[in-house]
């Protein structure tokens, strides 16, 4: 249970060795070997995340201004090498025996992507059930003709967070000029909870910290994010904090290696001696969905300590001057903390009072605290409340908007945050429509568009008839995958802008196109020369990126050129929509972004190569709260017993997890070395006492059956091997995306609709 903190890698049940170290080097080498990365790939790695280099295509972790020789991590290298493979998925591949679309559905996600980079635009031919090559002009004309016929509101423009700000801005413009705000994005399944939840309480849809805060802080409270796998460069900052004597307190149902210990692969001495840094001072295995209760417990201790200090005339613990000047809701919340019952907190969090007291003491003693979180926080029915509770904790001691403090949501795709910034948003009020009207002389639609959840429901019901996808693999990434496949295949038009073959290509509608694009490390030659693109990271820093490699195929187009190609074929000519001019020179698009968002993007073209990027700014970081009340909101939670998950005998909380050997639906391989699971992803991790109580044994083959009160749909996944694992009782774990067949589409965060993929109600049955 709580707080038997693993002291190093060898304390774990499976002794994986520390994060980083030689294991990470081997991880890179295995991909390098497996993908037969093309010549010069190592040169590409050296350019990653440096000024005038290539911004990594993996996660959104920021790039430091004073970079080191190798400014990439194991997973950034893997993602880069994966794109630079020598293998090609050509028209010949689709023509081969056994490669009809129906037959390809039998392939695994790993096998599909291992076919290599897509080389030609392809069109689905229903008669042969195959993709066949098509000329670009013909593809655009076919897409445009169908889009013109379809009712405007029945078409969706989805974006996964890869494409740069320039292509993304024009993509949003295309949707609006077409006539809808149906611009859902991968963040709808990810940090939408942050966009909505954090805005509600501090008036900012994004985190408030920068590298300067990381360098100054003395403590992290770390919830539901797995840096060893998902943002490995963060490990260097965590280690730096430990080297200067700071503290890290972690809450996570799974003991994640990166939060236990780390050997810096860029430090030769550490590599040779294997000297590891212990990351978490305390590791609390909260049960899945138990963070609201855990944080309530922490706040209760802080309030008690402050009461005591006041009685004794000692120095206050809570920053009352800050609370008075900057917040609302304090009195109700501390009343709630005082009333909260430890028995309820223990039950709902799965942690003991003494463990929470120990954690709270670290918070009380620390002068500057940063709260970090990821999907373990956002993907719950009460995800926004998780965030509000963390903000409560931070606000009690003025830990937002002061150097070395703040709220640090760790974002996913490399430009997921930036795409939202420049207009890929289904909510009309988030976009300066008046500016668009002025700049482009048309009336942008004012009605809200579809969120990913709305789009999936629209696909299942038959309302959605056309789908454009700028990156991503939505069929595989969303809940209710089985029903989604059927809906997807009923559409009039599916257009996928992709680098690799994936499952979403294999359920073509009446017409379907795969449009292959350049990856970020490849040269993007247009009329005015090789083009740079920009992206925004988790700290709201904007960076330019220049591709330097020859494209994987001469037939590839840039994402921007594909967007403008579709736009020209779909929309009537309009003097203000200068698609060709913009394609010829992306700096003109940056001028448009600047004109639309002048505060954030002034001097965009001049500042884009500033080392470390330029900061877009964030009022909340300066204690300017853009909330309804103009203050930061302290939120009083409802009764703990009424939170989200209805426990029942035999019902478990399934958390869907990522391995170190995948990037979302891209499966690099079958080695989850940090968790000691090799050779398969078809597993369920379960507490040994739960296994015994269920009358099962380690190694049994089981199936998971969704046990959801919200509808009667049958959902199950079989053929899974039970693995006894150190998890809190009642919480089980298995892999995303395989488990998406089990997640009901209506099982999502109450206010942001982010699918609650970290607490899916399931039963475990013998298979
Ligand atoms: N290599 C690699 N890098 C990636 C990705 C990838 O797939 N592979 N994906 C990218 C994307 S799009 C994203 S969004 C990020 C995702 O990065 P993360 O936010 O780290 O996402 P996950 O790995 O899904 O889960 C995070 C952690 O939450 C924990 N957790 C689950 N439930 C709970 C809970 O109820 N409470 C608490 N406190 N913890 C919980 C899990 O055990 C896990 O350690 O990473 C990005 N980077
Ligand atoms: N159960 C469960 N479901 C989840 C999650 C979970 O934790 N659990 N996590 C959710 C999260 S956080 C996210 S972000 C979503 C991810 O959902 P998506 O963003 O839709 O999926 P990805 O797997 O990132 O997309 C992979 C595909 O993108 C294409 N691609 C790769 N690079 C590029 C590029 O540079 N340009 C273009 N145009 N295409 C490219 C390739 O063809 C590749 O096959 O999944 C969500 N679904
Ligand atoms: Mo994500």
């Amino acid at each position: 249970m709580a707080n038997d903190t693993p002291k190093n890698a060898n304390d774990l049940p499976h002794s994986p060795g520390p994060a980083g170290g030689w294991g990470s080097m081997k991880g890179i080498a295995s991909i390098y070997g497996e993908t037969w990365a093309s010549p010069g790939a190592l040169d590409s790695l050296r350019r990653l995340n440096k000024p005038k280099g290539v911004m990594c295509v993996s996660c959104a972790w920021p790039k430091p201004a004073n970079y080191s020789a190798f400014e990439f991590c194991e997973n950034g290298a893997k993602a880069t090498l994966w794109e630079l493979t020598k293998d090609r998925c050509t028209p010949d591949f689709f023509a081969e025996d056994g490669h009809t679309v129906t037959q390809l559905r039998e392939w695994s996600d790993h096998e599909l992507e291992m076919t290599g980079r897509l080389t030609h635009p392809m069109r689905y031919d229903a008669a042969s059930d195959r993709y066949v090559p098509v000329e670009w002009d013909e593809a655009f004309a076919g897409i445009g003709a169908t889009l013109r016929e379809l009712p405007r509101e029945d078409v969706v423009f989805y974006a996964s967070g890869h494409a740069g700000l320039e292509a993304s801005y024009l993509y949003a413009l295309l949707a609006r000029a077409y006539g809808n705000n149906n611009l859902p994005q991968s963040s709808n399944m990810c940090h939408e909870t942050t966009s909505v939840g954090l805005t509600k309480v501090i008036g900012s849809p994004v985190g408030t910290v920068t590298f300067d805060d990381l360098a100054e802080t003395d403590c992290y409270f770390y919830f539901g994010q797995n840096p060893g796998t998902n943002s490995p460069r963060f490990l260097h900052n965590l280690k730096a904090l430990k080297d200067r004597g700071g503290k890290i307190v972690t809450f996570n149902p799974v003991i994640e290696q990166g939060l236990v210990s780390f050997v810096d692969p860029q430090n030769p001495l550490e590599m040779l001696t294997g000297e590891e840094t212990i990351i978490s001072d305390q590791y609390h295995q909260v049960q899945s969905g138990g963070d609201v209760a855990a944080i309530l417990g922490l706040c209760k201790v802080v309030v008690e300590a402050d009461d005591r200090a006041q009685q004794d005339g000692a120095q206050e613990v809570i920053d009352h001057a800050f609370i008075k000047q900057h917040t609302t809701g304090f009195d109700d919340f501390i009343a709630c903390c005082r009333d909260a019952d430890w028995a309820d907190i223990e039950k709902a969090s799965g942690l003991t009072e003494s463990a929470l007291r120990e954690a709270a003491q670290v918070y009380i003693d620390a002068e500057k605290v940063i709260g970090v979180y990821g999907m373990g926080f956002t993907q719950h029915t009460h995800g926004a409340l998780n965030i509000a509770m963390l903000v409560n904790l931070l606000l009690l001691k003025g830990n937002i908007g002061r150097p070395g403090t703040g709220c640090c949501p760790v974002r996913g795709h490399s430009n997921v945050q930036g795409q939202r910034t420049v207009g890929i948003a289904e909510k009309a009020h988030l976009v300066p429509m008046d500016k668009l009207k002025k700049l482009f002389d048309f009336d942008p639609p004012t009605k809200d568009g579809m969120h990913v959840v709305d789009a999936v429901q629209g696909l299942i019901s038959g309302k959605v008839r056309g789908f454009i996808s700028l990156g991503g693999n939505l069929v595989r990434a969303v809940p209710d995958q089985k029903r989604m496949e059927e809906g997807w295949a009923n559409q009039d038009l599916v257009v996928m802008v992709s680098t690799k073959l994936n499952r979403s290509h294999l359920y073509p509608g009446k017409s379907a196109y795969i449009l292959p694009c350049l990856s970020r490390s490849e040269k993007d030659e247009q009329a005015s020369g090789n083009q740079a693109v920009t992206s925004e990271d988790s700290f709201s820093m904007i960076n330019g990126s220049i591709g330097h490699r020859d494209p994987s195929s001469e037939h590839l187009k840039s994402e921007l050129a594909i967007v403008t190609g579709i736009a020209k074929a779909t929309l009537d000519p309009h003097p203000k929509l200068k698609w060709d001019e913009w394609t010829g020179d992306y700096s003109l698009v940056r001028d448009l972004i600047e004109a639309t968002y002048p505060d954030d993007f002034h001097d965009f073209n001049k500042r884009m190569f500033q080392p470390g990027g330029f900061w877009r700014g964030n009022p909340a970081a300066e204690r300017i709260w853009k909330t309804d009340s103009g203050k930061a909101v302290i939120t009083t939670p409802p009764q703990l017993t009424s939170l989200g998950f209805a426990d029942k005998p035999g019902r478990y909380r399934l958390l869907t997890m990522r391995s170190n050997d995948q990037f979302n639906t891209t499966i690099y391989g079958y080695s989850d070395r940090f968790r000691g699971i090799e050779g398969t992803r078809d597993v369920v991790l379960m507490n040994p006492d739960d296994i015994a109580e269920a009358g099962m044994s380690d190694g049994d083959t089981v199936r998971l059956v969704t046990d959801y009160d919200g509808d009667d749909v049958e959902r199950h996944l079989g053929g899974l091997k039970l693995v006894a694992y150190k998890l809190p009782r009642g919480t089980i774990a298995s892999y995303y995306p395989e488990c998406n067949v089990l997640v009901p589409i209506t099982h999502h965060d109450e206010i942001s609709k982010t699918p609650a993929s970290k607490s899916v109600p399931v039963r475990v049955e013998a298979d």
Side-chain angles (χ1 to χ4, degrees), residues 190-350:
C190 181
H191 270 290
E192 186 65 21
T193 328
T194 301
S195 310
V196 176
L198 201 57
T199 302
K200 211 169 148 201
V201 292
I202 63 165
S204 167
V206 298
T208 63
V209 303
T210 65
F211 273 126
D212 291 344
D213 296 310
L214 266 49
E216 262 194 59
T217 192
D218 41 42
C219 180
Y220 290 100
F221 266 66
Y222 209 109
F223 294 87
Q225 202 270 340
N226 182 9
T229 289
N230 297 321
S231 52
R233 286 183 299 120
F234 195 177
L235 295 174
H236 297 276
N237 306 91
L238 299 180
K239 175 176 154 36
L241 172 96
K242 294 313 301 284
D243 288 348
R244 59 179 193 268
K247 291 262 195 283
I248 298 177
V249 179
T250 295
F251 293 79
N252 195 317
V254 183
I255 297 177
E256 302 286 22
Q257 185 48 39
L259 290 163
V260 174
S261 69
F262 174 56
V263 169
D264 182 355
Q266 296 180 8
N267 181 327
L269 195 64
E270 284 191 13
M271 288 293 276
L272 287 174
T273 58
E275 188 194 331
E276 53 192 276
T277 302
I278 300 301
I279 299 292
S280 295
D281 296 272
Q282 296 179 22
Y283 206 117
H284 299 279
Q285 283 191 271
V286 63
Q287 73 170 319
S288 156
D291 300 273
V292 169
I295 299 175
L296 185 62
L298 299 178
C299 292
K300 186 176 171 71
V301 181
V302 174
V303 170
E304 272 176 20
D306 188 67
D307 286 347
R308 238 185 352 262
Q310 299 219 5
Q311 274 165 16
D312 301 349
Q315 196 186 346
E316 63 184 22
V317 174
I318 292 174
D319 184 345
H320 289 280
F322 169 81
I323 295 283
K324 196 150 181 258
Q325 190 187 347
H326 286 285
T327 69
T328 63
F330 176 71
D331 292 341
D332 286 347
F333 179 65
I334 54 163
C336 166
C337 292
R338 288 188 182 119
D339 291 348
D341 187 54
W342 278 111
D344 292 343
I345 292 172
E346 289 192 334
K347 182 159 186 287
S349 65

Side-chain angles (χ1 to χ4, degrees), residues 29 40 55 119 126 144 178 185 212 258 268 271 337 341 379 388 418 423 438 477 500 510 525 534 618 671 715 736 759:
M55 295 306 123
T119 57
Y178 179 68
Q185 193 219 17
D212 291 344
M271 288 293 276
C337 292
D341 187 54
Q379 295 177 334
K438 215 159 136 203
K500 294 251 186 125
K510 292 191 189 83
E525 291 289 350
T534 50
N618 183 338
S671 165
R715 302 175 178 91
Y736 148 65
S759 57

Side-chain angles (χ1 to χ4, degrees), residues 161 186-191 375 379 410-413 416 658 663-664 736:
S186 51
S187 68
N188 286 154
M189 300 173 271
C190 181
H191 270 290
M375 297 299 100
Q379 295 177 334
V410 182
R411 306 292 299 225
H413 286 112
V416 66
R658 293 167 160 78
F663 191 92
N664 296 339
Y736 148 65

